[in-house]
Amino acid sequence: MQVKSFEEYKEAWRKSVEQPEQFWEEIAGNFQWRKKWDKVLEWNFKEPRVEWFKGAKLNITENCLDRHLEKNGDVPAIIWEPNDPTEDHRVLTYRQLHDKVCQFANVLKNNGAKKGDRICIYMPMVPELAIAVLACARIGAIHSVVFGGFSAQSIADRIKDAECNIVITADGSFRGTKEVPLKSVIDDALVQCPSIKRVIVLTRSHTPVSMIKGRDVWWEDEVKKVETQGNPECPVEEMDAEDMLFILYTSGSTGKPKGVVHTCGGYMVYTGYTFSNAFQYKPGEVYFCTADIGWITGHSYIVYGPLSQGATTLMFEGIPTWPNAGRFWDIVEKYKVNILYTAPTAIRSLMSFGDDVIAGKDLSSLTKLGSVGEPINEEAWHWFDEKIGHGNCPIVDTWWQTETGGFMISPIAGVTPTKPGYATLPLPGVQPILVDENGKEIEGNGVNGNLCIKFPWPGMLRTTYGDHERCRQTYFATYENLYFTGDGCLRDEDGYYRITGRVDDVLNVSGHRIGTAEVENAINMHSTVVESAVVGYPHDIKGQGVYAFVVSPGKHGDEEITRKDIIMTVSRIIGPIAKPDKIQFVSGLPKTRSGKIMRRILRKIAEGDTSNLGDTSTLLDPAVVDEIKAGAL
Ligand code: WT7
C-alpha cells in the first residue's frame, strides 16, 4: 500500500484516476474479509448514494486485533502516558488489547447491547476509551463518541439525535491540574434522555458520583462478572461492508451539529491505507498522535488506522503544557517516538514558550512529523521542521475532514517534496477539483477556488444520521455532481494545493470546528441578550478566535458581569471549547434593508482591518458601523 518514490506516486495516482475500481480493489486485498465484495463501487452523487465493496462481509476489529495475534501478539498496540507523569504508564500488547476488547464486548452484550444499537461514549483519554470503541465495533453496535469538552446539553442533543440506549463514561477525567466530573455531566444530560437504559462507569479519578439503581453500573464490576462467567472470547459480529460503524457529530453552518456516518468496509480500507502510505509506517515504529479520540483524528489515526496496520500507537491523557511546556518532548524522549502527528495550534502554543523547554530533550528518535486541523503558518512549519525535526524529518501536512474519514491531500513522507504551508498533492485515489461560485471548473495552475472532490473514495461519509436530505443539501447540492468541502484552496504554479480556510460560516478554533450559528444560538439564550453575531478573527495561538457582537442591555447595566454570564451560558449550552474570546456590546448590528446581517463588515472589524469596509450603502442604518468600529476590541 506504500509508494516508495515520487515517480511511483505519480503512476499510482494516474492509475487511481483511470481505473479507480481496480486501484481500490488491490488496496482492499490487504485486509481480511469474511467474504469478498460482489462489486467494488456503486455511486451517484445526486441522491447521494455511495457503496464500496458491496456484498463484502467483515469485522474491522478482526483487522485491528485478531489478524495480528499469531505473529505479532506481543507487539505493543497501545502505549498510554497518563496525565500525571509520576503515575505509571501502561502498555497493552495486541494480545492484551484483543482480550480486553473481547471482555468488554461481552460486558456490552450482558448489558443488552446488540448489533445496530447506538452507544454514546464520553470518556477520558485512557486505554479503556479505545477498548470501548473497539468493543462496540466488535459486536456491531454503532459508537457515537462525544469529546470530553462538550456540555451536558450538547451530549443530550447528540444522544437524542442518535437515539442511543447505552452510555459509557468515567467518574471523571484529569486534564493538567483540572478534574472534569464526567459522570456528573452525563447525569445532567440524562435528565433529558429517556432512551438511555444503561450507564457503564469506569473508575479513573475517584471523583464522587451518583449511581442510579437499575441504570448505572461500574465498568470494573461488569468485567468481573464476565471473568467469572469464564468466557473470555467474543466472536466478531459479521458486518456488511456498508453497515454503519460509527456516528461522529460535527458543526456546520446551521445551528445543529450533524451526525456524520461512516461505514465498516470503506472506512477500514481508507484509514489503513492512508495511515500506512502517508506516514510510510514501518513495523516497530512508535507513533504518537496528540489528538483526542473524541475527534475524527483520534478515531482514524489513534485507533482504527494504526491498529489495522499493526502499529504501536501512543495515547496521551494530558495536555501539552502540564507540568510544563516540554511535556510532548518528554514523551518523545521517554518512548523513543518515531512519528509525531500534531496540530498547528499546539505547535504555536509550544513555540511561544521559547526554546528552553526543548533544550536537552533527546528528539533523535523522530523520523517523520505530521500536522492537521488548520492551515499551518510558515513560521510554525519552520519551527517544527528545525527545532523538532532537526531539519531531517519530512512534515506531512494532512488536509482532510470529519466527512472524508481520512487524509485526502497530503504529502507522502519522504516521497512527496514538501512546501511550507502546503498540503501538497492528492493521495492516490483522490480527485480534487477547484470550482468558481457557479460550479465551473477552474483549470490550470496558479488559481484559487472552492475545493471539491469529483469521484468517491472509500472513506467518505455516507449520510448524516437520521437526515439524509441534510447530507445531500450540505455536501452534494452546492455544485452538481461534486462533493463540496467548504474550504477555499489555492493550486499554485506547481499544481500544489494550499488550503486557505473555510468559505462557509464555520470557524476553526484550535483545530476544533465551531459553527457561528451554534454560538449565536447559545449567546441568544442568555436572558438579557436581544441578538448577536459571531465571526472569527486571527488568533496567534488558536488560529481563529471567537468574536461576538452582542446587543444586550446587560444586567443592571454592568457590562463585565454580563460578559461573564454570556461566557458561562455558552459553556453550559455548547461547552467550554466554544467560549467567545471577545464580546463587544453594540446598540445594533449592521443589517441590510431586508434584515440580513452583513457579516462581511463584522469580520473586517473583528480582524482590525477597517480601512476599507466595502459597500455599506445597502445598510439600513450606516451609523451603527461607525459605532461598532469605534468600540472594536
Ligand atoms: C476542516 C475539517 C481533519 C481532522 C481535523 C479537523 C481544516 C484540516 C487541514 C490542513 C488546512 C485543514 C479544513 C477542513 N483543516 N486539516 N492540513 N490544512 N486546513 O477535522 O473538524 O472535520 O475540520 O479543518 O478547513 O475543512 P474537522
Side-chain angles (χ1 to χ4, degrees):
M1 295 199 285
Q2 301 180 345
V3 300
K4 289 295 173 192
S5 69
F6 200 40
E7 286 314 308
E8 260 181 63
Y9 158 74
K10 286 188 255 186
E11 178 58 24
W13 190 79
R14 196 183 48 75
K15 184 183 168 197
S16 79
V17 173
E18 285 167 4
Q19 298 175 308
E21 301 187 13
Q22 232 173 295
F23 173 83
W24 284 113
E25 183 153 44
E26 227 168 86
I27 304 271
N30 293 295
F31 295 81
Q32 192 170 314
W33 303 84
R34 286 284 173 115
K35 173 182 173 288
K36 285 269 165 87
W37 44 92
D38 304 316
K39 197 148 185 253
V40 178
L41 171 65
E42 256 181 48
W43 70 290
N44 89 62
F45 276 177
K46 272 210 168 58
E47 297 181 38
R49 185 170 61 88
V50 176
E51 292 172 291
W52 282 94
F53 312 114
K54 207 176 168 172
K57 300 280 184 198
L58 76 149
N59 187 290
I60 195 168
T61 71
E62 201 161 47
N63 283 268
C64 290
L65 302 169
D66 306 59
R67 71 160 166 165
H68 307 308
L69 296 185
E70 200 183 318
K71 285 206 188 100
N72 295 312
D74 297 330
V75 167
I78 294 178
I79 298 175
W80 176 73
E81 168 72 6
N83 177 61
D84 182 341
T86 63
E87 187 184 333
D88 287 343
H89 73 276
R90 291 166 63 187
V91 177
L92 293 175
T93 65
Y94 272 92
R95 182 166 314 281
Q96 290 165 330
L97 182 61
H98 167 270
D99 293 352
K100 286 195 180 292
V101 169
C102 284
Q103 204 175 44
F104 194 67
N106 284 328
V107 165
L108 289 175
K109 282 190 190 168
N110 279 348
N111 281 278
K114 49 187 195 315
K115 180 177 177 181
D117 284 356
R118 277 81 57 211
I119 297 184
C120 174
I121 303 180
Y122 187 68
M123 287 180 77
M125 278 287 286
V126 291
E128 283 71 17
L129 167 52
I131 290 166
V133 161
L134 292 163
C136 287
R138 194 157 186 96
I139 65 167
I142 299 160
H143 55 77
S144 166
V145 182
V146 178
F147 174 65
F150 279 113
S151 68
Q153 184 59 51
S154 295
I155 299 167
D157 291 343
R158 285 157 175 75
I159 288 176
K160 284 187 281 187
D161 188 74
E163 295 171 277
C164 298
N165 58 354
I166 296 178
V167 174
I168 308 171
T169 188
D171 47 3
S173 75
F174 297 122
R175 310 266 303 149
T177 54
K178 281 204 208 101
E179 206 176 298
V180 187
L182 297 178
K183 173 60 164 63
S184 155
V185 179
I186 287 291
D187 287 337
D188 287 344
L190 294 194
V191 171
Q192 300 182 42
C193 304
S195 64
I196 296 297
K197 302 296 179 227
R198 185 68 81 237
V199 182
I200 303 175
V201 186
L202 176 81
T203 306
R204 171 61 189 136
S205 60
H206 298 278
T207 311
V209 297
S210 67
M211 294 292 281
I212 305 298
K213 193 179 288 166
R215 188 193 71 183
D216 302 352
V217 295
W218 288 107
W219 174 299
E220 296 78 12
D221 292 348
E222 295 304 298
V223 164
K224 268 210 194 82
K225 277 187 211 160
V226 167
E227 276 169 354
T228 54
Q229 283 164 359
N231 180 20
E233 270 299 313
C234 175
V236 301
E237 185 76 35
E238 210 171 85
M239 305 295 284
D240 196 275
E242 283 298 333
D243 279 340
M244 280 188 204
L245 175 63
F246 67 83
I247 307 169
L248 185 59
Y249 284 84
T250 189
S251 297
S253 41
T254 67
K256 194 173 167 261
K258 297 177 287 273
V260 168
V261 170
H262 286 286
T263 56
C264 296
Y267 178 82
M268 169 182 78
V269 169
Y270 200 69
T271 52
Y273 157 72
T274 49
F275 171 79
S276 168
N277 205 9
F279 287 124
Q280 296 279 299
Y281 184 84
K282 288 197 295 285
E285 285 181 327
V286 176
Y287 161 81
F288 175 22
C289 167
T290 68
D292 190 290
I293 291 178
W295 307 107
I296 191 68
T297 308
H299 282 61
S300 300
Y301 298 111
I302 293 178
V303 182
Y304 289 114
L307 295 179
S308 83
Q309 300 310 299
T312 298
T313 178
L314 197 155
M315 254 179 101
F316 172 43
E317 183 185 34
I319 58 172
T321 49
W322 190 78
N324 60 61
R327 189 69 194 275
F328 279 1
W329 322 128
D330 288 337
I331 296 173
V332 168
E333 185 173 291
K334 181 167 171 188
Y335 301 103
K336 302 196 168 33
V337 170
N338 305 109
I339 308 173
L340 174 69
Y341 186 36
T342 190
T345 184
I347 297 169
R348 285 191 301 266
S349 157
L350 297 177
M351 261 171 83
S352 73
F353 289 88
D355 294 346
D356 287 358
V357 290
I358 324 172
K361 305 277 152 94
D362 182 3
L363 304 180
S364 62
S365 57
L366 288 172
T367 56
K368 289 160 260 188
L369 302 174
S371 167
V372 63
E374 55 173 307
I376 179 166
N377 50 308
E378 288 199 24
E379 194 192 354
W381 196 98
H382 285 297
W383 184 87
F384 201 31
D385 178 40
E386 287 157 26
K387 304 288 179 185
I388 306 305
H390 296 291
N392 48 34
C393 298
I395 297 179
V396 293
D397 177 359
T398 61
W399 173 82
W400 59 296
Q401 310 177 294
T402 303
E403 294 87 344
T404 71
F407 308 154
M408 299 290 281
I409 302 180
S410 166
I412 293 172
V415 166
T416 313
T418 58
K419 232 187 237 193
Y422 283 76
T424 73
L425 297 168
L427 291 174
V430 176
Q431 302 188 36
I433 157 176
L434 301 184
V435 298
D436 67 15
E437 273 93 88
N438 305 313
K440 198 172 159 309
E441 176 164 9
I442 304 171
E443 286 175 282
N445 289 340
V447 292
N448 263 296
N450 289 343
L451 178 61
C452 294
I453 312 291
K454 67 177 174 193
F455 195 86
W457 63 101
M460 71 187 293
L461 87 163
R462 300 298 194 266
T463 188
T464 47
Y465 193 84
D467 193 350
H468 194 61
E469 172 57 16
R470 190 159 175 219
C471 172
R472 191 188 68 81
Q473 276 288 341
T474 313
Y475 307 106
F476 299 92
T478 317
Y479 306 114
E480 209 182 321
N481 266 319
L482 297 174
Y483 165 82
F484 177 43
T485 65
D487 279 323
C489 183
L490 159 78
R491 187 168 52 223
D492 78 355
E493 296 301 338
D494 300 325
Y496 268 43
Y497 291 85
R498 179 194 180 108
I499 310 302
T500 49
R502 302 288 303 196
V503 296
D504 51 10
D505 290 320
V506 172
L507 306 183
N508 191 324
V509 180
S510 301
H512 302 153
R513 218 155 117 176
I514 295 175
T516 54
E518 245 180 289
V519 184
E520 287 164 8
N521 286 349
I523 293 176
N524 296 350
M525 285 180 79
H526 181 64
S527 63
T528 70
V529 171
V530 180
E531 62 176 338
S532 64
V534 166
V535 297
Y537 71 96
H539 187 288
D540 285 349
I541 304 289
K542 299 178 174 186
Q544 271 188 310
V546 178
Y547 195 125
F549 297 90
V550 177
V551 181
S552 161
K555 181 182 182 184
H556 316 304
D558 186 332
E559 272 199 3
E560 255 337 287
I561 291 279
T562 309
R563 190 172 273 122
K564 285 183 185 149
D565 288 352
I566 289 173
I567 290 173
M568 185 56 90
T569 308
V570 173
S571 233
R572 280 267 178 230
I573 302 298
I574 306 176
I577 52 170
K579 284 197 274 196
D581 298 280
K582 292 183 179 180
I583 296 177
Q584 181 182 349
F585 291 105
V586 298
S587 66
L589 297 170
K591 288 186 184 170
T592 62
R593 285 187 188 87
S594 60
K596 228 178 123 239
I597 297 170
M598 301 262 293
R599 290 169 177 284
R600 175 176 55 80
I601 293 176
L602 294 176
R603 239 176 262 131
K604 286 244 170 189
I605 295 174
E607 284 165 12
D609 168 21
T610 51
S611 55
N612 177 16
L613 290 179
D615 183 13
T616 55
S617 65
T618 58
L619 282 179
L620 187 63
D621 175 14
V624 83
V625 173
D626 294 322
E627 177 217 299
I628 298 176
K629 249 163 64 176
L633 302 169

